[in-house]
Amino acid sequence: MAALCLYSDRDFLARYFFLIEETVRSLLGFMTHLSNGQLVTNPSVSPENSFYAEDGSVGHVTYGSTIDNQIVWEVLTDYLAGAKLTGHDTELVQQAMVAITQLPPHQIGKRGQLMEWQTDYNEPEPGHRHVSHLFGLFPGHRLKRDTPRILAAARQSLINRLANGGGHTGWSAAWLINLWANFRDSKECWAAIVKQVRQSILPNLLDNHPPFQIDGNFGLTSGIVEALVQYDDGQLDLLPALPEAWPDGQLTGVRIPGKNQLDIIWHAGCLKKVKLTGPLSNDTRVRINNQTVTTIKHLIQKGVVVRTS
C-alpha cells in the first residue's frame, strides 16, 4: 500500500475517503485510451523537461509521460486499498481495478535508461535538473514493485542525467540523496549529501536555489532519514544506505506509517539498539544493512529492539 500512513486510522479514512474518490473520478474522466488499449493522460508533460520531436523541433507536450503513469498508479493503488478497508464496492472501484491494469508499463530506451516519455526521444538537455520519471522510486513506489531490469534502467537514467551535469540546484540535489538512498547505494548517497552541503547550503543553513528554496532543506533532511530508515510494503529497512563516513551514530524520533516512532543506535556500521513506540506488529519483517532479514519479534528476543508501548 503506497500511503499506509493514511490508512492506519480507519475513522480518518472513512471521513475523508471522498477526497481520493473524487480524485480518481476526475482522473478516469480525463484519461483516454490509445489504440493499443493503454490508458494515458493526454495532454501530458514531464515537468519541465523537453524533447526533440521527429521533425527536429523541441517539444514539451505529449501523452502518457512516465511520471503521469506513476502518479496515476499511486492514486489508484491507494484508492483501491482504501476502498477495501472501508468496504466500498462501487462501480468506480470496478473501473479503477480495470484502469490500473491498463496503465503503460515502464520501458527501457536506447541508452539503457528508463524512458521518460512513450517515445524514446533525444533530449535538448540530457543533464536536465529534473528526474521526473524517477518519481516512482521516491517519493512514489511503482518502480519498487517493478522488475530488477526496470529498476536498473531507472538507476541508469540517474547516472546519465548526472553525467551530463544534472542535480545542480539545491532542491534537485536533495532529490538525488533520496533517490540514491532508495537505490540503497550508500556511496552515491553520501557523495550527494556532501555535494549539497558544500555547494547548496548557505552559512545560515538555508538552501541556495538561488536565492532560496525550502525544498532543498527538507529534501536533505528526508534523504538522511531515508539512508537510515525506510518503511515500505510492510517491511522495515534499517541502515539501507548507511554511509561509511557514519560508522557510529544514532537517530531519534523517526516517524514511520501507522503512528510508530523509532530511535536507533548503530556502532561500527552495525545496528545495536532500536527503541520502538507504536502498534507496529512484532511479525513485521526487518531488513538490516540490506542483508539480514528478520522480524521485530526476533530482534526483541535478542535484546536489540525495546518496545515502550
Side-chain angles (χ1 to χ4, degrees):
M1 184 185 309
L4 186 62
C5 55
L6 174 64
Y7 298 147
S8 60
D9 187 329
R10 300 286 182 92
D11 291 337
F12 180 91
L13 173 62
R15 188 179 313 124
Y16 294 105
F17 188 70
F18 73 93
L19 292 173
I20 190 170
E21 190 169 47
E22 289 306 307
T23 301
V24 170
R25 198 183 309 279
S26 177
L27 275 175
L28 296 186
F30 168 71
M31 297 174 75
T32 186
H33 283 95
L34 302 178
S35 59
N36 61 7
Q38 292 178 354
L39 187 63
V40 297
T41 54
N42 186 21
S44 173
V45 299
S46 190
E48 302 161 2
N49 205 359
S50 57
F51 54 86
Y52 284 119
E54 292 182 359
D55 62 2
S57 63
V58 175
H60 296 83
V61 180
T62 180
Y63 62 89
S65 66
T66 297
I67 184 175
D68 275 9
N69 300 332
Q70 293 170 345
I71 290 174
V72 172
W73 181 91
E74 296 284 334
V75 172
L76 294 179
T77 298
D78 285 350
Y79 172 65
L80 291 172
K84 182 176 181 180
L85 287 172
T86 56
H88 279 69
D89 186 14
T90 63
E91 182 180 351
L92 186 63
V93 171
Q94 300 304 314
Q95 292 173 355
M97 292 175 65
V98 173
I100 201 170
T101 68
Q102 297 173 336
L103 296 177
H106 289 121
Q107 302 180 78
I108 299 176
K110 54 181 174 289
R111 296 177 297 280
Q113 89 287 8
L114 182 72
M115 285 170 49
E116 192 164 354
W117 299 276
Q118 291 301 301
T119 299
D120 193 10
Y121 295 117
N122 290 322
E123 303 170 65
E125 297 181 71
H128 196 275
R129 64 193 178 281
H130 286 255
V131 282
S132 298
H133 51 315
L134 301 189
F135 171 90
L137 180 68
F138 183 90
H141 302 77
R142 190 183 183 189
L143 278 168
K144 298 176 184 179
R145 309 291 192 269
D146 216 316
T147 65
R149 183 168 172 264
I150 291 296
L151 198 59
R155 189 177 191 279
Q156 188 61 47
S157 287
L158 187 53
I159 292 172
N160 293 352
R161 194 64 45 101
L162 291 175
N164 287 280
H168 48 271
T169 59
W171 69 265
S172 63
W175 194 2
L176 301 185
I177 299 169
N178 289 272
L179 290 172
W180 285 123
N182 278 272
F183 279 126
R184 307 180 189 281
D185 192 320
S186 59
K187 181 179 179 180
E188 293 294 344
C189 183
W190 172 243
I193 292 172
V194 170
K195 179 181 178 182
Q196 179 163 10
V197 171
R198 288 178 176 174
Q199 298 182 13
S200 302
I201 302 298
L202 299 170
N204 62 5
L205 297 184
L206 295 180
D207 169 67
N208 182 23
H209 185 264
F212 166 66
Q213 196 170 56
I214 195 64
D215 306 53
N217 288 107
F218 290 160
L220 171 62
T221 304
S222 170
I224 290 172
V225 173
E226 289 288 313
L228 302 174
V229 176
Q230 295 179 25
Y231 181 80
D232 180 50
D233 201 25
Q235 177 170 295
L236 179 63
D237 276 84
L238 301 177
L239 311 180
L242 177 68
E244 290 185 3
W246 299 342
D248 309 308
Q250 61 179 342
L251 184 65
T252 61
V254 178
R255 299 280 185 165
I256 63 171
K259 301 180 181 179
N260 297 285
Q261 179 173 307
L262 295 173
D263 299 341
I264 64 172
I265 299 174
W266 67 95
H267 177 67
C270 298
L271 183 69
K272 292 300 179 183
K273 187 69 68 175
V274 178
K275 183 172 77 171
L276 170 63
T277 304
L280 195 64
S281 170
N282 283 344
D283 294 326
T284 300
R285 286 166 52 89
V286 182
R287 181 165 54 182
I288 305 170
N289 295 104
N290 296 316
Q291 296 178 355
T292 305
V293 178
T294 181
T295 63
I296 290 177
K297 180 180 179 180
H298 183 64
L299 292 176
I300 291 174
Q301 293 171 347
K302 293 181 64 176
V304 175
V305 171
V306 175
R307 301 202 71 139
T308 60
S309 64

PDB file of all heavy atoms in Angstrom, residues 44-46 48-62 117 121-126 128:
ATOM      1  N   SER A  44       0.047  15.718 -21.709  1.00  0.00           N
ATOM      2  CA  SER A  44       0.923  15.334 -20.615  1.00  0.00           C
ATOM      3  C   SER A  44       2.297  15.967 -20.817  1.00  0.00           C
ATOM      4  O   SER A  44       2.725  16.175 -21.952  1.00  0.00           O
ATOM      5  CB  SER A  44       1.052  13.800 -20.581  1.00  0.00           C
ATOM      6  OG  SER A  44       2.011  13.386 -19.642  1.00  0.00           O
ATOM      7  N   VAL A  45       2.969  16.262 -19.723  1.00  0.00           N
ATOM      8  CA  VAL A  45       4.342  16.756 -19.781  1.00  0.00           C
ATOM      9  C   VAL A  45       5.180  15.981 -18.776  1.00  0.00           C
ATOM     10  O   VAL A  45       4.643  15.304 -17.895  1.00  0.00           O
ATOM     11  CB  VAL A  45       4.441  18.264 -19.464  1.00  0.00           C
ATOM     12  CG1 VAL A  45       3.668  19.092 -20.461  1.00  0.00           C
ATOM     13  CG2 VAL A  45       3.978  18.550 -18.037  1.00  0.00           C
ATOM     14  N   SER A  46       6.497  16.096 -18.904  1.00  0.00           N
ATOM     15  CA  SER A  46       7.413  15.595 -17.894  1.00  0.00           C
ATOM     16  C   SER A  46       8.128  16.825 -17.340  1.00  0.00           C
ATOM     17  O   SER A  46       9.062  17.337 -17.946  1.00  0.00           O
ATOM     18  CB  SER A  46       8.424  14.603 -18.496  1.00  0.00           C
ATOM     19  OG  SER A  46       9.160  13.961 -17.468  1.00  0.00           O
ATOM     20  N   GLU A  48       9.990  19.910 -16.111  1.00  0.00           N
ATOM     21  CA  GLU A  48       9.915  20.982 -17.044  1.00  0.00           C
ATOM     22  C   GLU A  48      10.822  20.624 -18.210  1.00  0.00           C
ATOM     23  O   GLU A  48      11.424  21.479 -18.844  1.00  0.00           O
ATOM     24  CB  GLU A  48      10.390  22.281 -16.378  1.00  0.00           C
ATOM     25  CG  GLU A  48       9.574  22.627 -15.126  1.00  0.00           C
ATOM     26  CD  GLU A  48      10.305  23.628 -14.198  1.00  0.00           C
ATOM     27  OE1 GLU A  48      11.413  24.111 -14.498  1.00  0.00           O
ATOM     28  OE2 GLU A  48       9.735  23.890 -13.145  1.00  0.00           O
ATOM     29  N   ASN A  49      10.953  19.324 -18.474  1.00  0.00           N
ATOM     30  CA  ASN A  49      11.891  18.828 -19.488  1.00  0.00           C
ATOM     31  C   ASN A  49      11.286  18.926 -20.891  1.00  0.00           C
ATOM     32  O   ASN A  49      10.074  19.086 -21.062  1.00  0.00           O
ATOM     33  CB  ASN A  49      12.279  17.383 -19.182  1.00  0.00           C
ATOM     34  CG  ASN A  49      13.626  17.017 -19.769  1.00  0.00           C
ATOM     35  OD1 ASN A  49      14.274  17.826 -20.420  1.00  0.00           O
ATOM     36  ND2 ASN A  49      14.045  15.786 -19.543  1.00  0.00           N
ATOM     37  N   SER A  50      12.161  18.815 -21.880  1.00  0.00           N
ATOM     38  CA  SER A  50      11.735  18.892 -23.276  1.00  0.00           C
ATOM     39  C   SER A  50      12.371  17.763 -24.071  1.00  0.00           C
ATOM     40  O   SER A  50      13.236  17.031 -23.565  1.00  0.00           O
ATOM     41  CB  SER A  50      12.134  20.242 -23.887  1.00  0.00           C
ATOM     42  OG  SER A  50      13.535  20.450 -23.788  1.00  0.00           O
ATOM     43  N   PHE A  51      11.941  17.608 -25.332  1.00  0.00           N
ATOM     44  CA  PHE A  51      12.457  16.529 -26.174  1.00  0.00           C
ATOM     45  C   PHE A  51      12.482  16.997 -27.622  1.00  0.00           C
ATOM     46  O   PHE A  51      11.829  17.971 -28.003  1.00  0.00           O
ATOM     47  CB  PHE A  51      11.582  15.276 -26.042  1.00  0.00           C
ATOM     48  CG  PHE A  51      10.122  15.532 -26.305  1.00  0.00           C
ATOM     49  CD1 PHE A  51       9.602  15.502 -27.604  1.00  0.00           C
ATOM     50  CD2 PHE A  51       9.245  15.802 -25.262  1.00  0.00           C
ATOM     51  CE1 PHE A  51       8.256  15.741 -27.852  1.00  0.00           C
ATOM     52  CE2 PHE A  51       7.890  16.042 -25.494  1.00  0.00           C
ATOM     53  CZ  PHE A  51       7.397  16.011 -26.797  1.00  0.00           C
ATOM     54  N   TYR A  52      13.269  16.278 -28.429  1.00  0.00           N
ATOM     55  CA  TYR A  52      13.288  16.541 -29.868  1.00  0.00           C
ATOM     56  C   TYR A  52      12.230  15.674 -30.541  1.00  0.00           C
ATOM     57  O   TYR A  52      12.272  14.440 -30.459  1.00  0.00           O
ATOM     58  CB  TYR A  52      14.654  16.215 -30.464  1.00  0.00           C
ATOM     59  CG  TYR A  52      15.716  17.246 -30.160  1.00  0.00           C
ATOM     60  CD1 TYR A  52      16.862  16.899 -29.445  1.00  0.00           C
ATOM     61  CD2 TYR A  52      15.596  18.561 -30.605  1.00  0.00           C
ATOM     62  CE1 TYR A  52      17.853  17.838 -29.177  1.00  0.00           C
ATOM     63  CE2 TYR A  52      16.582  19.509 -30.340  1.00  0.00           C
ATOM     64  CZ  TYR A  52      17.704  19.139 -29.630  1.00  0.00           C
ATOM     65  OH  TYR A  52      18.675  20.069 -29.355  1.00  0.00           O
ATOM     66  N   ALA A  53      11.277  16.321 -31.191  1.00  0.00           N
ATOM     67  CA  ALA A  53      10.268  15.597 -31.947  1.00  0.00           C
ATOM     68  C   ALA A  53      10.880  15.038 -33.236  1.00  0.00           C
ATOM     69  O   ALA A  53      12.038  15.329 -33.569  1.00  0.00           O
ATOM     70  CB  ALA A  53       9.096  16.520 -32.274  1.00  0.00           C
ATOM     71  N   GLU A  54      10.111  14.235 -33.944  1.00  0.00           N
ATOM     72  CA  GLU A  54      10.627  13.591 -35.155  1.00  0.00           C
ATOM     73  C   GLU A  54      11.073  14.591 -36.216  1.00  0.00           C
ATOM     74  O   GLU A  54      11.975  14.326 -37.000  1.00  0.00           O
ATOM     75  CB  GLU A  54       9.568  12.649 -35.737  1.00  0.00           C
ATOM     76  CG  GLU A  54       9.290  11.432 -34.852  1.00  0.00           C
ATOM     77  CD  GLU A  54       8.272  10.498 -35.480  1.00  0.00           C
ATOM     78  OE1 GLU A  54       7.785  10.817 -36.594  1.00  0.00           O
ATOM     79  OE2 GLU A  54       7.954   9.460 -34.868  1.00  0.00           O
ATOM     80  N   ASP A  55      10.435  15.781 -36.241  1.00  0.00           N
ATOM     81  CA  ASP A  55      10.804  16.780 -37.243  1.00  0.00           C
ATOM     82  C   ASP A  55      11.960  17.665 -36.787  1.00  0.00           C
ATOM     83  O   ASP A  55      12.324  18.628 -37.451  1.00  0.00           O
ATOM     84  CB  ASP A  55       9.599  17.648 -37.610  1.00  0.00           C
ATOM     85  CG  ASP A  55       9.060  18.437 -36.413  1.00  0.00           C
ATOM     86  OD1 ASP A  55       9.645  18.338 -35.307  1.00  0.00           O
ATOM     87  OD2 ASP A  55       8.051  19.148 -36.592  1.00  0.00           O
ATOM     88  N   GLY A  56      12.534  17.354 -35.616  1.00  0.00           N
ATOM     89  CA  GLY A  56      13.662  18.112 -35.109  1.00  0.00           C
ATOM     90  C   GLY A  56      13.293  19.286 -34.230  1.00  0.00           C
ATOM     91  O   GLY A  56      14.175  19.918 -33.634  1.00  0.00           O
ATOM     92  N   SER A  57      12.023  19.591 -34.122  1.00  0.00           N
ATOM     93  CA  SER A  57      11.595  20.692 -33.261  1.00  0.00           C
ATOM     94  C   SER A  57      11.640  20.256 -31.801  1.00  0.00           C
ATOM     95  O   SER A  57      11.641  19.063 -31.488  1.00  0.00           O
ATOM     96  CB  SER A  57      10.185  21.137 -33.641  1.00  0.00           C
ATOM     97  OG  SER A  57       9.262  20.073 -33.427  1.00  0.00           O
ATOM     98  N   VAL A  58      11.674  21.232 -30.913  1.00  0.00           N
ATOM     99  CA  VAL A  58      11.694  20.948 -29.482  1.00  0.00           C
ATOM    100  C   VAL A  58      10.256  20.908 -28.966  1.00  0.00           C
ATOM    101  O   VAL A  58       9.485  21.848 -29.164  1.00  0.00           O
ATOM    102  CB  VAL A  58      12.498  22.019 -28.712  1.00  0.00           C
ATOM    103  CG1 VAL A  58      12.403  21.769 -27.206  1.00  0.00           C
ATOM    104  CG2 VAL A  58      13.947  22.007 -29.158  1.00  0.00           C
ATOM    105  N   GLY A  59       9.900  19.810 -28.339  1.00  0.00           N
ATOM    106  CA  GLY A  59       8.552  19.645 -27.814  1.00  0.00           C
ATOM    107  C   GLY A  59       8.534  19.515 -26.311  1.00  0.00           C
ATOM    108  O   GLY A  59       9.546  19.145 -25.689  1.00  0.00           O
ATOM    109  N   HIS A  60       7.413  19.837 -25.719  1.00  0.00           N
ATOM    110  CA  HIS A  60       7.214  19.695 -24.283  1.00  0.00           C
ATOM    111  C   HIS A  60       5.977  18.861 -23.955  1.00  0.00           C
ATOM    112  O   HIS A  60       5.962  18.133 -22.978  1.00  0.00           O
ATOM    113  CB  HIS A  60       7.060  21.072 -23.617  1.00  0.00           C
ATOM    114  CG  HIS A  60       8.268  21.939 -23.713  1.00  0.00           C
ATOM    115  ND1 HIS A  60       8.555  22.703 -24.827  1.00  0.00           N
ATOM    116  CD2 HIS A  60       9.275  22.168 -22.832  1.00  0.00           C
ATOM    117  CE1 HIS A  60       9.679  23.374 -24.627  1.00  0.00           C
ATOM    118  NE2 HIS A  60      10.130  23.071 -23.419  1.00  0.00           N
ATOM    119  N   VAL A  61       4.951  19.001 -24.792  1.00  0.00           N
ATOM    120  CA  VAL A  61       3.660  18.369 -24.506  1.00  0.00           C
ATOM    121  C   VAL A  61       3.508  17.097 -25.330  1.00  0.00           C
ATOM    122  O   VAL A  61       3.769  17.078 -26.541  1.00  0.00           O
ATOM    123  CB  VAL A  61       2.507  19.341 -24.817  1.00  0.00           C
ATOM    124  CG1 VAL A  61       1.161  18.675 -24.524  1.00  0.00           C
ATOM    125  CG2 VAL A  61       2.662  20.624 -24.011  1.00  0.00           C
ATOM    126  N   THR A  62       3.088  16.043 -24.672  1.00  0.00           N
ATOM    127  CA  THR A  62       2.884  14.754 -25.340  1.00  0.00           C
ATOM    128  C   THR A  62       1.715  14.047 -24.650  1.00  0.00           C
ATOM    129  O   THR A  62       0.798  14.685 -24.169  1.00  0.00           O
ATOM    130  CB  THR A  62       4.188  13.922 -25.286  1.00  0.00           C
ATOM    131  OG1 THR A  62       3.972  12.672 -25.932  1.00  0.00           O
ATOM    132  CG2 THR A  62       4.668  13.690 -23.873  1.00  0.00           C
ATOM    133  N   TRP A 117       9.285   9.316 -21.683  1.00  0.00           N
ATOM    134  CA  TRP A 117       8.068   9.501 -22.475  1.00  0.00           C
ATOM    135  C   TRP A 117       7.738   8.185 -23.176  1.00  0.00           C
ATOM    136  O   TRP A 117       8.524   7.229 -23.137  1.00  0.00           O
ATOM    137  CB  TRP A 117       8.271  10.602 -23.514  1.00  0.00           C
ATOM    138  CG  TRP A 117       8.576  11.946 -22.933  1.00  0.00           C
ATOM    139  CD1 TRP A 117       7.682  12.867 -22.466  1.00  0.00           C
ATOM    140  CD2 TRP A 117       9.872  12.548 -22.748  1.00  0.00           C
ATOM    141  NE1 TRP A 117       8.330  13.999 -22.018  1.00  0.00           N
ATOM    142  CE2 TRP A 117       9.663  13.826 -22.175  1.00  0.00           C
ATOM    143  CE3 TRP A 117      11.180  12.127 -23.018  1.00  0.00           C
ATOM    144  CZ2 TRP A 117      10.717  14.683 -21.867  1.00  0.00           C
ATOM    145  CZ3 TRP A 117      12.234  12.968 -22.700  1.00  0.00           C
ATOM    146  CH2 TRP A 117      11.990  14.238 -22.124  1.00  0.00           C
ATOM    147  N   TYR A 121      12.653   9.629 -27.104  1.00  0.00           N
ATOM    148  CA  TYR A 121      13.146  10.869 -27.687  1.00  0.00           C
ATOM    149  C   TYR A 121      14.583  11.167 -27.262  1.00  0.00           C
ATOM    150  O   TYR A 121      15.019  10.776 -26.175  1.00  0.00           O
ATOM    151  CB  TYR A 121      12.290  12.051 -27.226  1.00  0.00           C
ATOM    152  CG  TYR A 121      10.858  12.037 -27.690  1.00  0.00           C
ATOM    153  CD1 TYR A 121       9.816  11.963 -26.768  1.00  0.00           C
ATOM    154  CD2 TYR A 121      10.539  12.146 -29.034  1.00  0.00           C
ATOM    155  CE1 TYR A 121       8.489  11.985 -27.182  1.00  0.00           C
ATOM    156  CE2 TYR A 121       9.211  12.167 -29.454  1.00  0.00           C
ATOM    157  CZ  TYR A 121       8.196  12.084 -28.515  1.00  0.00           C
ATOM    158  OH  TYR A 121       6.888  12.105 -28.922  1.00  0.00           O
ATOM    159  N   ASN A 122      15.302  11.910 -28.114  1.00  0.00           N
ATOM    160  CA  ASN A 122      16.531  12.561 -27.694  1.00  0.00           C
ATOM    161  C   ASN A 122      16.153  13.852 -26.971  1.00  0.00           C
ATOM    162  O   ASN A 122      15.062  14.400 -27.190  1.00  0.00           O
ATOM    163  CB  ASN A 122      17.429  12.866 -28.899  1.00  0.00           C
ATOM    164  CG  ASN A 122      18.007  11.603 -29.509  1.00  0.00           C
ATOM    165  OD1 ASN A 122      18.358  10.667 -28.800  1.00  0.00           O
ATOM    166  ND2 ASN A 122      18.082  11.568 -30.828  1.00  0.00           N
ATOM    167  N   GLU A 123      17.063  14.342 -26.136  1.00  0.00           N
ATOM    168  CA  GLU A 123      16.740  15.484 -25.293  1.00  0.00           C
ATOM    169  C   GLU A 123      17.671  16.659 -25.570  1.00  0.00           C
ATOM    170  O   GLU A 123      18.882  16.473 -25.683  1.00  0.00           O
ATOM    171  CB  GLU A 123      16.860  15.098 -23.817  1.00  0.00           C
ATOM    172  CG  GLU A 123      15.994  13.926 -23.397  1.00  0.00           C
ATOM    173  CD  GLU A 123      16.337  13.449 -22.001  1.00  0.00           C
ATOM    174  OE1 GLU A 123      16.140  14.215 -21.046  1.00  0.00           O
ATOM    175  OE2 GLU A 123      16.837  12.320 -21.869  1.00  0.00           O
ATOM    176  N   PRO A 124      17.132  17.873 -25.625  1.00  0.00           N
ATOM    177  CA  PRO A 124      17.976  19.066 -25.735  1.00  0.00           C
ATOM    178  C   PRO A 124      18.852  19.261 -24.506  1.00  0.00           C
ATOM    179  O   PRO A 124      19.949  19.810 -24.595  1.00  0.00           O
ATOM    180  CB  PRO A 124      16.962  20.213 -25.874  1.00  0.00           C
ATOM    181  CG  PRO A 124      15.710  19.567 -26.366  1.00  0.00           C
ATOM    182  CD  PRO A 124      15.708  18.208 -25.747  1.00  0.00           C
ATOM    183  N   GLU A 125      18.338  18.820 -23.340  1.00  0.00           N
ATOM    184  CA  GLU A 125      19.078  18.970 -22.084  1.00  0.00           C
ATOM    185  C   GLU A 125      19.248  17.602 -21.416  1.00  0.00           C
ATOM    186  O   GLU A 125      18.515  17.263 -20.487  1.00  0.00           O
ATOM    187  CB  GLU A 125      18.340  19.899 -21.132  1.00  0.00           C
ATOM    188  CG  GLU A 125      18.170  21.322 -21.600  1.00  0.00           C
ATOM    189  CD  GLU A 125      17.444  22.152 -20.561  1.00  0.00           C
ATOM    190  OE1 GLU A 125      18.053  22.447 -19.513  1.00  0.00           O
ATOM    191  OE2 GLU A 125      16.267  22.478 -20.795  1.00  0.00           O
ATOM    192  N   PRO A 126      20.212  16.817 -21.847  1.00  0.00           N
ATOM    193  CA  PRO A 126      20.400  15.495 -21.218  1.00  0.00           C
ATOM    194  C   PRO A 126      20.786  15.569 -19.745  1.00  0.00           C
ATOM    195  O   PRO A 126      20.665  14.578 -19.028  1.00  0.00           O
ATOM    196  CB  PRO A 126      21.509  14.864 -22.062  1.00  0.00           C
ATOM    197  CG  PRO A 126      22.198  16.009 -22.731  1.00  0.00           C
ATOM    198  CD  PRO A 126      21.147  17.036 -22.959  1.00  0.00           C
ATOM    199  N   HIS A 128      19.275  17.696 -17.620  1.00  0.00           N
ATOM    200  CA  HIS A 128      18.203  18.498 -17.023  1.00  0.00           C
ATOM    201  C   HIS A 128      18.105  18.252 -15.516  1.00  0.00           C
ATOM    202  O   HIS A 128      18.307  17.128 -15.047  1.00  0.00           O
ATOM    203  CB  HIS A 128      16.868  18.162 -17.690  1.00  0.00           C
ATOM    204  CG  HIS A 128      15.796  19.165 -17.423  1.00  0.00           C
ATOM    205  ND1 HIS A 128      15.010  19.126 -16.297  1.00  0.00           N
ATOM    206  CD2 HIS A 128      15.394  20.247 -18.134  1.00  0.00           C
ATOM    207  CE1 HIS A 128      14.152  20.133 -16.317  1.00  0.00           C
ATOM    208  NE2 HIS A 128      14.361  20.833 -17.422  1.00  0.00           N
TER     209      HIS A 128
END
